[in-house]
Every structure is written in structure tokens, then in C-alpha cells.
Amino acid sequence: MKILFQKIHNWIRVKIQTNDITATLILVLLCLFLYLPGISSLPATDRDESRYMQATKQMVATGNVVDIRFQDKPRYKKPVGIYWLQATASRMAKQIGIASTERSPYRLPSTIGATSAVLFLYLGFRKIVGNLQSFCAAVLLACSLLIVVEAHLAKTDAMQLAAIVAMQAGLAQIYCMPKVHELLRARIFFWLGLGVALLIKGPVAPVLASLTLTWICWKDRSISTLVKIQPWPWLLVPLILISPWLFSIQALSDGQFVQDSIHQDFFSKIVSGQESHGAPPGTYLLITPFLLWPASWLLLPKAWAGLRRSSEALSRTTQFLCGWLVPAWIIFELVPTKLPHYVLPLIPPLCLLAGIGIFQPDRLQDAPLLRLSKWPQRVGMFAWIASGLALAIGIPLLSIWASGSVTVAALLIALTCIFSILALGKIKTPKRQLYASALSAVVVFGLIFEAFLPNLNNVWPAEQIKSIIDSNNFGTLPVAAASYHEPSLVFNLGTDTTFTDLDGIMQHAAKHPSSILIVESKDVNKTREQLSPISNIFILGTYSGFNYSKGKPINLSVLKSDWIKTDKSK
């Protein structure tokens, strides 16, 4: 195994140092192995992903590329960029016969975004930190659990990450290697990345860029970097990108878009824990080793080493990376609303610091500062082992809960995690550790997203309900659902799906000669009794599982209502 890893490392080192195309192709292949498994088989997840996919499906159906809607309600929390990308992918898929309820076209922009972020990290920083260093940073980013998850979901975060990495790469080139003949390209990267990120997710990228600029200007006691990015006239680039749509949606919504997206969505998350996602400061520090698994055992201690041991030539680079990482991280920790993907834009500077640390010589090993800095390695290793054990134990337990036994996929995942803990700890050199982590990530994440999660029927109610309806060939009938009101049900069953209560179920059945009714199993007899004067009620199937969005078990029955034929109806 050691000989194999050494041969792989020697080949990659030679190819990377002599041919950027080879390194790029290696990274693309790694991303494909990590991100493509499960992109089609994983059911639509609640709630955000299904909202994005359904709004995009309606955009394609109506041809309205300005107004964003979920059913008949406006969806004004995020800008239109990701919807345009998903709609483009959906239209292309439709031309080759892929149905509008197929998930993969909507997820493809996220897969492309995650892959682009990895490539931008390598190509944008290779002249700043070195080819091998930026390559290792890109591998660490590609293999982290957080970006793998986002690459599989039809949301904004993966594509926003690509735009932010491009933006920060341009800013880093202006700050760290301000050669006059390269400033134009760096400004294009910075301002275009900022504009695309604005169109994808609004104010996150401008805030991050402002914090980074403030940090480096404060450290340098100079605004020279701010002058070099030339806000005028380059600020026109993001304004030209976003203004036509923003003015259109503001006029169409009577000013409601900015009110909803900035005040109700953005600022409300800053001042309070929104949608039951509040958590105390320090939460992100605590969960980061898990979010970066399986690369966290190498990434965290080497990022610290890169910060403490970097050469004088890289001092401006580490200063820039700290400006990217530290201020924003502090703000995210202080903001009450916390979701794991919020810190995704801050993972690339960690990876770059780790890439620097991997290739720094262990000089001054006896210095007190470096002896003191061994604690990140111990903490990182402990957290990494705990994360691996959590997967090795949690996946089989989840399998037992869902199916009554440990599936083959769950067993393979657990064995791979255990093997990784036992084997990777014996690998001493950072380069071999990196390749072993990448291999472990490909195997574990491939099994999770392709073989394990899609078969957890207990957590996919909408998918199972759709199967019940389709198996009886009633997919064209109008649907009303009481109690279970998750967005994935609308995406799977159609835009006209009605969310209501039991009284609304009665009205729906009275309105349609034949219809589908979804009620809690305990309400079946009540529904049948109240509809008995006008309808015959047939049970098509039942579903028992878990609504993870609300954290509670559910028992649903899928009913078919047919009007009773009377003499008058005849």
C-alpha cells in the first residue's frame, strides 16, 4: 500500500509541476466520482431543495423567467440566478426525453458549481501558493462532506461557492502578486465572481469581500488594495448583471422582493434563530471536523501548520487567507441562525492553509510555539475518529430502524469507515494521507448517496406516495393532502396539489368527480363517514415513516374518492 501511494504521489507531482491540464483532469475525475453517484437516485429532499426544484419547474412551464413562485405564492427569498441555471438544465433534459420530475437536471448546476469551485481553487491560487499546494487544497475541498452534500442538492450554495472562490482568487492575485500586466485578469475574476454570486444568493459575497478587504487594509495600514481593484468603473460589472432582473422583479412585486429577501430573510437570520435553527456561538468550531470528514484529520492540523510555519514569501498569502476566514467565521458564530452550509464559503481558505502546511518543512520543530501548536493535531485526530465512528455506528443503526436489518450498503459503509480509522492512522506522510482520504471519500460517499440513502423508504414520504398513486395509474387525478404539507409532495405530484385540512379534503372531494386524498391513517374512517353521502372511498395504500423536517413519525393513507352515481348524475 505504501509503495502504491508513493508511486501515485510521484506521478501526480511530476504531472502537476509540468502540465496544468493533467492536474485539472485529475480534479475533474475526482469530482465526478464524488458528486455524480446519487444525483439521480436520491429522492427530492425537504424543504429547501424541493422548493427550488418546484419553483424552477413552474418557471419552465409558464415561461416566466422573472417572477419566482412556489405554486401560487411568490418566492422572494433569493435572487433568480440559480433558477435560471436549473431551468436551462431542465429544458435541455426535456429535449432528450427526461421528465420534469426527474431530479438530476435540477441538481446538475450544483454539481457543476462544486466542481468549478474545486477547479477555481487550484487554477486561481497555483501561482500564489504553488502548484502542488493548490492541488492538495483542491483535493481537500473536493473530498469534504459538506461540499459533497451540497453538490447533490438543487440549491444555491455550491454555485455560490464557485463564484466566491473565483472572486477571492481575483482579489488574492491583486493583493499577493500585483503585477501590472495581470491586474486586468484579476479584476475580471473579482468583479465577475461578485456579480454572479450576487445573482445567485444576494448579499453574502459582497459582505465576505468587504470583510476580507477591511482585514487586509487594516493589517497593511493602507487602502492600496482597495484602490487596485478599481471600484469605479468595475462596480458596473455586477450592477449590469443583476440590475435588469432586479428592477423587473421590484416593479412586478411592488417592491416586495427586496423587503422579503433582505429584511425578512437576511436580517432576520442575523438577529434571531430563524426556522428553529438557532445555536450558540462555537457551534461551527464543534461540528467542523464532521463537516470536513474524511479530510478533517489532515486538513485542520495542516491548516494550523500552514499558518504558523509558512515562509516569509507566503506571509501576504496567509494574511489574505486569514482575512477571508477569521472575520466572517466570527460573525457566523455570533449570528443566532446556524446551518452547516453557511460556513461553506470559508472552507477554501482552510484548505489553502492546509495545502501550504503539507509542504512546509518541519523546521524549528523544537520551538516553543510549534510544540504548543501540536494541540490542533490531537484535537483534529480525536474529532476525526469520533466522526468516523459516528458514521460507522450511525449508518447501520439507521438501516436497522428503516428496514429492520443492516443492508449491504450500510455494512460496506461501516466497514470502510472502520478500515479508514485503523489504516489511515498508520499512514505517516501527509501526501499519502491525502490520497487515502480521497479514496475513502469516493467509496463512502458513493455508497451513501447511490446505494444507502435512496433506499431509506421511511424518510421519503413523497416518493412513496407517488409510487402508490402511479402503481394504480391515477397520476393525472387532482390531489389534496391534509397534515403532510412538505414541498417534495408538490414537486412529485404536481403544481396543482392542494395543501389543506380535513374540512378542505371534504371540499376537494365534493368538487372533483374523482380525486386523490392524502390523510393521516387515524382520520380514514372519519373521512369515509363524512364523504359517504357523495363519494365512495377506496384505500390505495398506506405509508408509515418519519417526517425529518418536523422530527416526528407519520402514518398516512392514500385514498381515491369517486362520486356516487345518482339518477341525477346519470
Side-chain angles (χ1 to χ4, degrees), residues 164-211:
I164 286 177
V165 172
M167 176 189 76
Q168 294 292 75
L171 185 57
Q173 290 169 18
I174 293 171
Y175 179 68
C176 300
M177 38 180 283
K179 298 178 181 179
V180 176
H181 68 280
E182 294 183 350
L183 284 180
L184 176 61
R185 182 179 62 183
R187 291 188 190 111
I188 292 173
F189 267 93
F190 176 76
W191 290 107
L192 192 59
L194 177 62
V196 172
L198 264 172
L199 200 57
I200 295 293
K201 205 171 180 177
V204 176
V207 169
L208 188 56
S210 300
L211 290 172

Coordinates of all heavy atoms in Angstrom, one line a residue, residues 164-211:
I164 N -17.7 32.7 -5.4 CA -16.9 33.3 -4.3 C -15.5 32.9 -4.5 O -14.6 33.8 -4.2 CB -17.5 32.9 -2.9 CG1 -18.8 33.6 -2.7 CG2 -16.5 33.1 -1.8 CD1 -19.5 33.3 -1.4
V165 N -15.2 31.6 -4.8 CA -13.8 31.2 -4.9 C -13.1 32.0 -6.1 O -12.0 32.5 -6.0 CB -13.6 29.7 -5.2 CG1 -12.2 29.3 -5.5 CG2 -14.1 29.0 -3.9
A166 N -13.9 32.2 -7.2 CA -13.4 33.0 -8.3 C -13.1 34.4 -7.9 O -12.1 35.0 -8.2 CB -14.3 32.9 -9.5
M167 N -14.1 35.0 -7.2 CA -14.0 36.4 -6.7 C -12.7 36.5 -5.8 O -11.9 37.4 -6.0 CB -15.2 36.7 -5.9 CG -15.2 38.1 -5.3 SD -16.7 38.3 -4.2 CE -16.1 37.3 -2.7
Q168 N -12.6 35.6 -4.8 CA -11.5 35.7 -3.9 C -10.1 35.4 -4.6 O -9.1 36.0 -4.2 CB -11.7 34.8 -2.7 CG -12.9 35.2 -1.8 CD -12.7 36.5 -1.1 OE1 -12.8 37.6 -1.6 NE2 -12.4 36.3 0.2
A169 N -10.1 34.6 -5.6 CA -8.9 34.3 -6.3 C -8.4 35.6 -7.0 O -7.2 35.9 -7.0 CB -9.1 33.2 -7.3
G170 N -9.4 36.3 -7.6 CA -9.0 37.6 -8.2 C -8.5 38.6 -7.2 O -7.5 39.3 -7.5
L171 N -9.1 38.7 -6.1 CA -8.7 39.6 -5.0 C -7.3 39.2 -4.5 O -6.4 40.0 -4.2 CB -9.7 39.6 -3.9 CG -9.4 40.6 -2.8 CD1 -9.3 42.1 -3.3 CD2 -10.5 40.5 -1.7
A172 N -7.1 37.9 -4.3 CA -5.8 37.4 -3.9 C -4.7 37.7 -4.9 O -3.5 38.1 -4.5 CB -5.8 35.9 -3.6
Q173 N -4.9 37.6 -6.1 CA -3.9 37.9 -7.2 C -3.6 39.4 -7.1 O -2.4 39.8 -7.3 CB -4.4 37.5 -8.5 CG -4.5 36.0 -8.7 CD -5.2 35.6 -10.0 OE1 -5.4 36.4 -10.9 NE2 -5.7 34.3 -10.1
I174 N -4.6 40.2 -6.9 CA -4.3 41.7 -6.8 C -3.5 42.0 -5.6 O -2.6 42.8 -5.6 CB -5.7 42.4 -6.8 CG1 -6.4 42.3 -8.1 CG2 -5.4 43.9 -6.4 CD1 -7.8 42.9 -8.1
Y175 N -3.8 41.3 -4.5 CA -3.1 41.6 -3.2 C -1.7 40.9 -3.1 O -0.8 41.6 -2.6 CB -4.0 41.1 -2.1 CG -3.4 41.4 -0.7 CD1 -3.2 42.6 -0.2 CD2 -3.0 40.3 0.1 CE1 -2.7 42.9 1.1 CE2 -2.4 40.5 1.4 CZ -2.3 41.8 1.8 OH -1.7 42.0 3.1
C176 N -1.6 39.7 -3.5 CA -0.4 38.9 -3.3 C 0.6 39.0 -4.4 O 1.8 38.8 -4.1 CB -0.7 37.4 -3.0 SG -1.8 37.1 -1.6
M177 N 0.2 39.2 -5.6 CA 1.2 39.3 -6.7 C 0.7 40.4 -7.7 O 0.3 40.1 -8.8 CB 1.3 38.0 -7.4 CG 0.0 37.2 -7.5 SD 0.1 35.6 -8.4 CE 0.2 36.1 -10.0
P178 N 0.8 41.6 -7.2 CA 0.2 42.7 -8.0 C 1.0 43.2 -9.2 O 1.5 44.3 -9.3 CB 0.1 43.8 -7.0 CG 1.2 43.6 -6.0 CD 1.4 42.1 -6.0
K179 N 1.2 42.3 -10.2 CA 1.9 42.6 -11.4 C 0.9 43.4 -12.3 O -0.2 42.9 -12.5 CB 2.5 41.4 -12.1 CG 3.5 40.6 -11.2 CD 4.0 39.4 -11.9 CE 5.0 38.6 -11.1 NZ 5.5 37.4 -11.7
V180 N 1.4 44.4 -12.9 CA 0.5 45.3 -13.7 C -0.1 44.6 -14.8 O -1.3 44.7 -15.1 CB 1.3 46.5 -14.2 CG1 0.4 47.4 -15.1 CG2 1.9 47.3 -13.1
H181 N 0.6 43.7 -15.5 CA 0.0 43.0 -16.7 C -1.0 42.0 -16.3 O -1.7 41.4 -17.2 CB 1.2 42.4 -17.5 CG 1.9 41.3 -16.9 ND1 2.8 41.4 -15.9 CD2 1.7 39.9 -17.0 CE1 3.3 40.2 -15.5 NE2 2.6 39.3 -16.1
E182 N -1.1 41.6 -15.0 CA -2.0 40.6 -14.6 C -3.2 41.2 -13.8 O -4.2 40.5 -13.5 CB -1.4 39.5 -13.7 CG -0.3 38.7 -14.5 CD 0.3 37.6 -13.6 OE1 0.1 37.6 -12.4 OE2 1.0 36.7 -14.1
L183 N -3.2 42.5 -13.6 CA -4.3 43.1 -12.8 C -5.6 43.1 -13.5 O -6.7 42.9 -12.9 CB -3.9 44.5 -12.5 CG -2.9 44.7 -11.4 CD1 -2.6 46.2 -11.2 CD2 -3.3 44.1 -10.1
L184 N -5.6 43.2 -14.9 CA -6.9 43.2 -15.6 C -7.6 41.9 -15.4 O -8.8 41.8 -15.1 CB -6.6 43.5 -17.1 CG -7.8 43.4 -18.0 CD1 -8.8 44.4 -17.6 CD2 -7.4 43.6 -19.5
R185 N -6.9 40.8 -15.6 CA -7.5 39.4 -15.4 C -8.0 39.2 -14.0 O -9.1 38.7 -13.8 CB -6.5 38.3 -15.8 CG -7.1 36.9 -15.7 CD -6.0 35.9 -16.1 NE -4.9 35.9 -15.2 CZ -3.8 35.2 -15.4 NH1 -3.7 34.4 -16.4 NH2 -2.8 35.2 -14.5
A186 N -7.2 39.7 -13.0 CA -7.6 39.6 -11.6 C -8.9 40.4 -11.3 O -9.8 39.9 -10.6 CB -6.5 40.0 -10.7
R187 N -9.0 41.6 -11.9 CA -10.2 42.4 -11.7 C -11.4 41.7 -12.3 O -12.5 41.8 -11.8 CB -10.0 43.8 -12.3 CG -9.0 44.6 -11.5 CD -9.0 46.1 -12.0 NE -7.9 46.8 -11.4 CZ -6.8 47.2 -12.1 NH1 -6.7 47.0 -13.4 NH2 -5.8 47.9 -11.5
I188 N -11.2 41.1 -13.5 CA -12.3 40.4 -14.2 C -12.8 39.3 -13.3 O -14.0 39.1 -13.1 CB -11.9 39.9 -15.5 CG1 -11.6 41.0 -16.5 CG2 -12.9 38.9 -16.1 CD1 -11.0 40.6 -17.8
F189 N -11.9 38.5 -12.7 CA -12.3 37.4 -11.8 C -13.0 38.0 -10.6 O -14.1 37.4 -10.2 CB -11.1 36.6 -11.4 CG -10.7 35.4 -12.2 CD1 -9.8 35.5 -13.3 CD2 -11.3 34.2 -12.0 CE1 -9.5 34.5 -14.0 CE2 -11.0 33.1 -12.7 CZ -10.1 33.2 -13.8
F190 N -12.5 39.0 -10.0 CA -13.1 39.5 -8.8 C -14.5 40.1 -9.0 O -15.5 39.7 -8.4 CB -12.2 40.7 -8.2 CG -12.8 41.3 -7.0 CD1 -12.8 40.7 -5.8 CD2 -13.4 42.5 -7.1 CE1 -13.4 41.2 -4.6 CE2 -14.0 43.2 -5.9 CZ -13.9 42.5 -4.7
W191 N -14.6 41.0 -10.0 CA -15.9 41.7 -10.2 C -17.0 40.8 -10.8 O -18.2 40.8 -10.5 CB -15.7 42.9 -11.0 CG -15.0 44.0 -10.2 CD1 -13.7 44.4 -10.4 CD2 -15.5 44.8 -9.1 NE1 -13.4 45.4 -9.5 CE2 -14.5 45.6 -8.7 CE3 -16.7 44.8 -8.5 CZ2 -14.7 46.5 -7.6 CZ3 -16.9 45.7 -7.4 CH2 -15.9 46.5 -7.0
L192 N -16.5 39.9 -11.7 CA -17.5 39.0 -12.4 C -17.9 37.9 -11.3 O -19.1 37.6 -11.3 CB -16.8 38.3 -13.6 CG -17.8 37.5 -14.5 CD1 -18.8 38.4 -15.1 CD2 -17.0 36.8 -15.6
G193 N -17.0 37.4 -10.5 CA -17.4 36.5 -9.5 C -18.4 37.1 -8.5 O -19.3 36.5 -8.1
L194 N -18.1 38.4 -8.1 CA -19.0 39.1 -7.2 C -20.4 39.2 -7.9 O -21.4 39.0 -7.2 CB -18.4 40.5 -6.9 CG -19.3 41.4 -6.0 CD1 -19.5 40.8 -4.7 CD2 -18.6 42.8 -5.9
G195 N -20.5 39.6 -9.1 CA -21.7 39.7 -9.8 C -22.5 38.5 -9.9 O -23.7 38.4 -9.6
V196 N -21.9 37.4 -10.2 CA -22.5 36.1 -10.3 C -23.0 35.6 -9.0 O -24.2 35.1 -8.8 CB -21.6 35.0 -10.9 CG1 -22.2 33.6 -10.8 CG2 -21.3 35.3 -12.4
A197 N -22.2 35.8 -7.9 CA -22.6 35.4 -6.6 C -23.8 36.3 -6.1 O -24.7 35.8 -5.4 CB -21.4 35.6 -5.6
L198 N -23.8 37.5 -6.5 CA -25.0 38.4 -6.2 C -26.3 37.8 -6.8 O -27.3 37.8 -6.2 CB -24.7 39.8 -6.7 CG -24.2 40.8 -5.7 CD1 -23.8 42.1 -6.4 CD2 -25.2 41.1 -4.6
L199 N -26.1 37.4 -8.0 CA -27.3 36.9 -8.8 C -27.7 35.5 -8.3 O -28.9 35.1 -8.4 CB -27.0 36.8 -10.3 CG -28.1 36.8 -11.3 CD1 -29.0 38.0 -11.1 CD2 -27.6 36.7 -12.7
I200 N -26.8 34.8 -7.6 CA -27.1 33.5 -7.1 C -27.8 33.6 -5.7 O -28.8 33.0 -5.4 CB -25.9 32.6 -7.0 CG1 -25.4 32.4 -8.4 CG2 -26.2 31.3 -6.3 CD1 -26.3 31.5 -9.3
K201 N -27.1 34.4 -4.8 CA -27.6 34.4 -3.4 C -27.5 35.7 -2.7 O -27.5 35.8 -1.5 CB -26.8 33.3 -2.6 CG -27.5 32.8 -1.3 CD -26.8 31.7 -0.7 CE -27.6 31.2 0.5 NZ -27.0 30.0 1.2
G202 N -27.4 36.8 -3.4 CA -27.6 38.1 -2.8 C -26.3 38.6 -2.0 O -25.2 38.5 -2.5
P203 N -26.5 39.1 -0.8 CA -25.5 39.9 -0.1 C -24.3 39.1 0.5 O -23.4 39.7 1.0 CB -26.3 40.6 1.0 CG -27.5 39.7 1.2 CD -27.8 39.0 -0.1
V204 N -24.3 37.8 0.4 CA -23.3 37.0 1.1 C -21.9 37.3 0.6 O -21.0 37.6 1.3 CB -23.5 35.5 1.0 CG1 -22.4 34.7 1.6 CG2 -24.8 35.1 1.7
A205 N -21.8 37.3 -0.8 CA -20.4 37.6 -1.4 C -20.0 39.0 -1.1 O -18.8 39.2 -0.8 CB -20.5 37.3 -2.9
P206 N -20.8 40.0 -1.3 CA -20.3 41.4 -1.0 C -19.9 41.6 0.4 O -18.9 42.2 0.7 CB -21.6 42.3 -1.3 CG -22.4 41.5 -2.3 CD -22.2 40.0 -1.9
V207 N -20.6 40.9 1.4 CA -20.2 41.0 2.8 C -18.8 40.3 3.0 O -17.9 40.9 3.7 CB -21.3 40.4 3.7 CG1 -20.7 40.2 5.1 CG2 -22.5 41.2 3.7
L208 N -18.6 39.2 2.4 CA -17.4 38.4 2.5 C -16.2 39.2 1.9 O -15.1 39.3 2.5 CB -17.5 37.1 1.9 CG -16.3 36.1 2.1 CD1 -16.1 35.9 3.5 CD2 -16.6 34.8 1.4
A209 N -16.4 39.8 0.7 CA -15.4 40.6 0.1 C -15.1 41.8 0.9 O -13.9 42.2 1.0 CB -15.9 41.0 -1.3
S210 N -16.1 42.5 1.5 CA -15.9 43.7 2.3 C -15.1 43.3 3.5 O -14.2 44.1 3.9 CB -17.2 44.3 2.7 OG -17.9 44.7 1.5
L211 N -15.4 42.2 4.2 CA -14.6 41.8 5.4 C -13.2 41.5 5.0 O -12.3 41.9 5.8 CB -15.3 40.6 6.0 CG -16.7 40.8 6.7 CD1 -17.3 39.4 7.0 CD2 -16.5 41.7 7.9

